[in-house]
Amino acid sequence: MSASSAAISATASSATDSLPGALNFVSLFLHADVVVQIIMVGLALASLWSWTIIIQKTGALGRVNKEADGFEGALNSGRALDDIAATLGTQPKEPFQKLLVAVTAAWKDYKGKTMSAVQGDLLVSQVDREMNHIIANEADTIEDGLSILAVIATASPFVGLFGTVWGIMNAFSAIASQGDTNLTTVAPAISEALFATAMGLFAAIPAYIAFNLFNAKVARFTSRMEGFADELMVSLTRRLGDKLGG
């Protein structure tokens, strides 16, 4: 009975001792082929790059939405749009502020003058184009970096797979040259090769998830800007109607 227990204990101890070696990523990297090592380093840098973008975009999207909430709260306070725009200056930094200043500045140039219906239509077209330009620029700014996430998400698994294929080819080449098909001989090389695929997935999965989440958030914020621009256009059209009707 004690001999059996000792055997079980020895087996468990052996398995425990082999586990750190099986999970020693540094050792896997150091013993890998040079090409596989280059691929691993590239995938690690790609993962670091994607996480940098994820952190930056999380902060940027949170900031612009917080600014938009605060600005909409100021608009709902009952103050006149012209008064609010006057406090923003001529070069505001936030998207909603830029839209408001664009409308009020255009209206300011015409409100003291006699205006025909044709001039009113031209003013509406001018303001509409300017706001569309602002929305497009702001959307591009917010989206900056998402294309990199898309590339990392789509390319990393294939790059990792290439490293795996290369490593396995080297393993089989070593088997052919040594004539030894023992599992203990093949396993380390196969582990090193498969580690490249694992690193590819490690880089790709967060980038893929983040790209889709940020894409949806950018689309929602763009729709929010378009809705605010529509409200401003309604306000401008109403002012023009009052002016031309008067």
Side-chain angles (χ1 to χ4, degrees):
M1 185 70 175
S2 67
S4 176
S5 300
I8 294 173
S9 176
T11 302
S13 176
S14 176
T16 304
D17 292 341
S18 65
L19 184 60
L23 297 179
N24 190 340
F25 299 142
V26 175
S27 177
L28 289 175
F29 172 78
L30 293 177
H31 289 87
D33 183 79
V34 174
V35 174
V36 179
Q37 287 180 340
I38 293 172
I39 290 172
M40 289 179 180
V41 171
L43 290 171
L45 292 176
S47 178
L48 181 62
W49 195 2
S50 70
W51 277 107
T52 301
I53 295 172
I54 289 169
I55 294 171
Q56 189 269 331
K57 285 299 167 191
T58 300
L61 284 167
R63 181 184 59 79
V64 293
N65 277 292
K66 184 178 180 180
E67 291 286 346
D69 291 340
F71 191 62
E72 286 182 335
L75 293 176
N76 294 330
S77 64
R79 293 176 60 193
L81 295 180
D82 292 336
D83 293 340
I84 296 175
T87 64
L88 302 176
T90 57
Q91 298 292 331
K93 296 182 179 180
E94 302 303 325
F96 279 43
Q97 296 176 1
K98 291 179 180 179
L99 292 171
L100 177 61
V101 169
V103 173
T104 55
W107 171 249
K108 185 178 180 180
D109 293 337
Y110 283 91
K111 69 177 182 179
K113 303 176 183 178
T114 303
M115 184 183 300
S116 65
V118 173
Q119 290 175 319
D121 291 339
L122 290 174
L123 174 61
V124 170
S125 298
Q126 171 193 337
V127 172
D128 185 57
R129 285 194 302 271
E130 187 171 353
M131 287 200 295
N132 286 335
H133 180 68
I134 292 172
I135 291 172
N137 284 343
E138 294 299 321
D140 287 342
T141 300
I142 299 173
E143 288 176 349
D144 185 37
L146 296 190
S147 59
I148 296 174
L149 288 180
V151 171
I152 293 174
T154 54
S156 293
F158 295 103
V159 174
L161 182 60
F162 173 74
T164 297
V165 171
W166 185 274
I168 291 175
M169 287 171 58
N170 285 335
F172 282 126
S173 177
I175 291 171
S177 63
Q178 297 176 12
D180 186 0
T181 58
N182 193 300
L183 183 61
T184 57
T185 303
V186 178
I190 299 299
S191 298
E192 295 157 10
L194 292 176
F195 186 44
T197 295
M199 289 195 65
L201 294 175
F202 179 78
I205 292 173
Y208 177 80
I209 294 172
F211 172 77
N212 286 281
L213 288 176
F214 289 146
N215 222 19
K217 289 183 178 181
V218 169
R220 284 197 296 269
F221 188 75
T222 302
S223 297
R224 190 175 181 183
M225 287 192 293
E226 290 172 348
F228 181 61
D230 290 340
E231 292 177 4
L232 292 176
M233 287 300 296
V234 170
S235 175
L236 177 63
T237 303
R238 187 181 300 116
R239 290 186 180 189
L240 286 173
D242 295 339
K243 183 177 180 64
L244 295 175

